[in-house]
Amino acid sequence: LAPSRPMTAIAARALAAVGALPRVRLRLRPPQRLRGRCRALAAATAGDDAIDDDGPFAPEMEGVGAHAQRVRVCDTFLEPSLASSLRATFDARHADPRSLGAERFVWDYWHMPGQYRQLRTPAQDYFSSGEGSTAGDWEALERALLDFGRRELGCSALTPPWLSSYVSGMQQEWHTDNVHGPWAFVLSLTHWDERKFSGGETELLTQQTLDYWSTSGASSGVAEAPQLVERVEPLFNRLTLFDPRLPHGVREVQGEMDPRKGRLVLHGPTQG
């Protein structure tokens, strides 16, 4: 791609993620509506009337119309006591840095140069057994995700999710997960409001960026980060859902080396 005018560094990276495809047309077919505390991310900036959570989705949407449904957030997704218990399990296992408990040695340092850098472990194994685990927490979490997927997304199964921890220098660069399922989810156990680090947001390319050369994006003047990239903050107990075909990533965490104070999320794809 050869831009016809100077562009910011983030714009160049965003367009590189799209690759040779000048236009992405999203065709979303969620079979049911999302209710309750779930909302389209666009509603936060477009006004309360932008999304009608009490009405069914249209059977098919594409282009700009799909933009309002491509990213959705559900705050206070789990029962607060369950979310707090899951978080307490993690905190207890990292409370003593001198501890030799087996639960401290289950983390994979996933490092693919220029692409992924994070600590991860299978969530089911982590929360089902071992010191500090609470009986029934994993079963309740799995049941909440499965019930939600069947009721709201029409998804019948759940790919075993990861639990990932991010400290300073960790991130996910731009990528897509086209073959992993109809929806991707991120469930945050991060103490976001107490953080002292920067970064850690889930990033997705905006519709303007995806349609950059075929809409007014290339001729509408300066385009900066808010127009090119959506950033979703991982608030504690927030479930974020998005179409995994969208180029997405995790903004690099900076300024925190203690895993108890970094970014902590469960994540994975659903299965139709």
Side-chain angles (χ1 to χ4, degrees):
L1 296 175
S4 59
R5 65 187 68 213
M7 299 178 64
T8 63
I10 194 169
R13 291 175 62 198
L15 289 173
V18 181
L21 297 175
R23 179 177 178 83
V24 174
R25 299 180 66 84
L26 303 178
R27 305 178 72 86
L28 306 182
R29 298 174 181 264
Q32 297 187 39
R33 66 194 184 201
L34 288 168
R35 297 182 290 270
R37 292 180 294 270
C38 301
R39 65 186 189 280
L41 185 64
T45 55
D48 293 338
D49 295 332
I51 301 298
D52 179 8
D53 281 339
D54 293 327
F57 282 120
E60 180 176 304
M61 300 186 73
E62 62 181 69
V64 175
H67 174 69
Q69 295 184 18
R70 66 193 203 129
V71 184
R72 301 188 69 87
V73 294
C74 305
D75 290 328
T76 319
F77 174 71
L78 299 174
E79 289 295 327
S81 59
L82 174 58
S84 296
S85 182
L86 292 166
R87 175 70 210 207
T89 296
F90 177 83
D91 288 338
R93 293 177 180 179
H94 289 274
D96 180 5
R98 293 185 175 87
S99 171
L100 299 179
E103 295 81 9
R104 291 180 57 88
F105 296 90
V106 300
W107 295 91
D108 168 40
Y109 175 50
W110 190 31
H111 177 53
M112 292 180 60
Q115 188 62 60
Y116 305 110
R117 188 162 58 254
Q118 67 197 74
L119 296 166
R120 64 178 185 173
T121 189
Q124 181 173 0
D125 293 343
Y126 189 85
F127 288 116
S128 293
S129 61
E131 182 181 356
S133 61
T134 300
D137 276 2
W138 168 255
E139 290 78 7
L141 168 62
E142 185 178 43
R143 184 166 57 251
L145 289 169
L146 286 171
D147 288 350
F148 179 87
R150 292 175 182 136
R151 183 181 69 250
E152 307 290 359
L153 308 177
C155 295
S156 59
L158 180 71
T159 298
W162 293 98
L163 176 67
S164 287
S165 173
Y166 294 72
V167 294
S168 192
M170 295 186 176
Q171 67 180 127
Q172 288 192 6
E173 278 288 3
W174 294 105
H175 64 284
T176 62
D177 296 308
N178 296 14
V179 300
H180 288 174
W183 292 91
F185 75 88
V186 179
L187 176 58
S188 176
L189 297 178
T190 307
H191 288 314
W192 186 254
D193 291 338
E194 303 168 16
R195 75 193 186 284
K196 296 183 179 179
F197 62 85
S198 63
E201 301 94 337
T202 298
E203 296 187 308
L204 305 104
L205 295 187
T206 64
Q207 195 68 36
Q208 176 180 333
T209 304
L210 294 171
D211 291 340
Y212 196 80
W213 300 111
S214 56
T215 65
S216 61
S219 59
S220 60
V222 175
E224 297 180 328
Q227 292 78 46
L228 298 168
V229 177
E230 287 183 76
R231 290 176 177 162
V232 186
E233 296 180 337
L235 304 184
F236 183 76
N237 202 12
R238 166 178 279 182
L239 179 70
T240 302
L241 297 153
F242 57 90
D243 187 326
R245 296 170 296 178
L246 294 170
H248 59 277
V250 177
R251 191 179 176 211
E252 183 176 355
V253 171
Q254 290 288 349
E256 185 57 73
M257 294 303 297
D258 186 341
R260 294 174 300 170
K261 300 177 182 179
R263 182 184 196 259
L264 183 67
V265 296
L266 294 114
H267 59 100
T270 62
Q271 296 295 323

